[in-house]
Amino acid sequence: MSADNESGKSISAQLMQNPELLAALQSKLDGLAGLNSEYIRSLAPEVKRRVKALKVLQKQQLEIEVEFNKEYHELELKYQEKLSSVISTRKEIIVGDKEPTDEEAKWEFSDDEDETPMITEVDETKKEQQNVDQSKPVAGIPEFWFTILKSTPPIDQIIEEHDEPILEHLIDIRSRLADSSEQMAFTLEFEFAENDFFSNKVLTKTYKLQNMIDEDNPLGYEGPEIISCQGCKIEWKPGKNVTEKIVKKRQKHKGRGTVRTVEKKVLNDSFFNFFSPPEVKDNEELDSDTENLLDSDFQVGSCIKDRIVTRAVLYFTGEAQAAEREDDFDDLDGEGEDEDGDYAPDGETAEGNPECKQQ
């Protein structure tokens, strides 16, 4: 992995795990708001009146958006039922319960899949194991979901090395919508094969959303927003809990001067902390740290629900991640291209800046 990639991962990880830093960045962005306030105050009274009329219309527009999002949830529920058989068949192929026929595996579009390496890095030990086991029949698609999670931001930032042996047992990820559009919610279900780490068959994470206009800030509506999330209790097997670690600390008695060593359990960085989000009571006023933690958590949950679950095979092959990286860059409309179409900064050719050539 390149130094730039390591640096990017480090920064992203810090942002995900540092609410204070996120809050500081948000404060900087908030400071940009109201830059036109001086100009607005200088407007003539009749113009200000028209601006207020536009705000009334804006509120009406947002009220329509609330209704739209409500009906959109109901539409998602309708198609969730239609998709269930497709999702079920996908799982059967992944775990090896179903072998697709030649007709079912007939893909008529060229994609060079045999020439495209997976994004996830495979260590040398696994490469050797794969070479040794090539003569044995392979059931399903090994490490399908683990490969996806390990190669998809921002989820890859919260996976630690000690999580990987557990995630290799992950056999399915599903998303299930709440039945009522009045109480928007969705539940992520992570199904695991039997393993040496915990006894749960399925780990769940439920997100509760609110779809309404805040009367105290009627123009602040930006769509359904998360108000709470609930994880599940992981039944860890003895000595296998990767979300905590034992820290030994030496203590000296103030009076006698004797020294003792005490052990204390502390929280350990782990993907599985995802299933222990901050507890939020209904109508509870959240502090900024909790809000930032929930925002970061919701980014991960939304990524899994809206991207990974719905486009799993494309994230497995790396095509989805490649397309997302491509979307991060804007075309320069030919700016800086030389005669051969190679990019070079303004005033330079692909070979270099002619004005800076050595004499």
Side-chain angles (χ1 to χ4, degrees), residues 92-93 96-102 104 138-140:
E92 291 176 353
I93 294 175
D97 290 343
K98 173 182 172 60
E99 184 62 37
T101 64
D102 290 341
E104 290 172 328
V138 178

Side-chain angles (χ1 to χ4, degrees), residues 6-110:
E6 284 289 355
S7 176
K9 179 173 181 178
S10 174
I11 294 172
S12 298
Q14 289 180 49
L15 289 175
M16 291 289 290
Q17 299 173 8
N18 192 328
E20 293 82 4
L21 185 55
L22 276 173
L25 290 173
Q26 186 61 52
S27 177
K28 288 287 187 181
L29 293 174
D30 292 342
L32 298 176
L35 291 178
N36 294 331
S37 57
E38 197 66 37
Y39 167 69
I40 298 300
R41 283 196 291 268
S42 69
L43 294 175
E46 61 270 22
V47 177
K48 290 182 180 179
R49 181 173 174 274
R50 293 166 195 149
V51 171
K52 289 181 179 179
L54 293 183
K55 287 189 174 183
V56 173
L57 292 174
Q58 180 68 51
K59 184 173 182 291
Q60 293 174 6
Q61 177 183 330
L62 295 178
E63 289 169 346
I64 294 172
E65 286 187 22
V66 169
E67 288 301 311
F68 167 80
N69 285 311
K70 178 179 177 181
E71 293 192 23
Y72 182 77
H73 183 87
E74 293 171 351
L75 189 63
E76 278 190 305
L77 276 172
K78 174 183 175 182
Y79 280 88
Q80 178 175 261
E81 295 179 8
K82 293 187 175 183
L83 285 169
S84 61
S85 63
V86 176
I87 299 300
S88 177
T89 303
R90 178 177 73 182
K91 177 190 171 183
E92 291 176 353
I93 294 175
I94 291 171
V95 300
D97 290 343
K98 173 182 172 60
E99 184 62 37
T101 64
D102 290 341
E103 184 62 29
E104 290 172 328
K106 187 178 180 181
W107 180 249
E108 298 179 348
F109 303 89
S110 175

Side-chain angles (χ1 to χ4, degrees), residues 277-290:
E279 293 185 10
V280 179
K281 299 178 182 179
D282 289 342
N283 302 318
E284 179 183 353
E285 190 72 25
L286 303 180
D287 57 50
S288 60
D289 287 353
T290 303

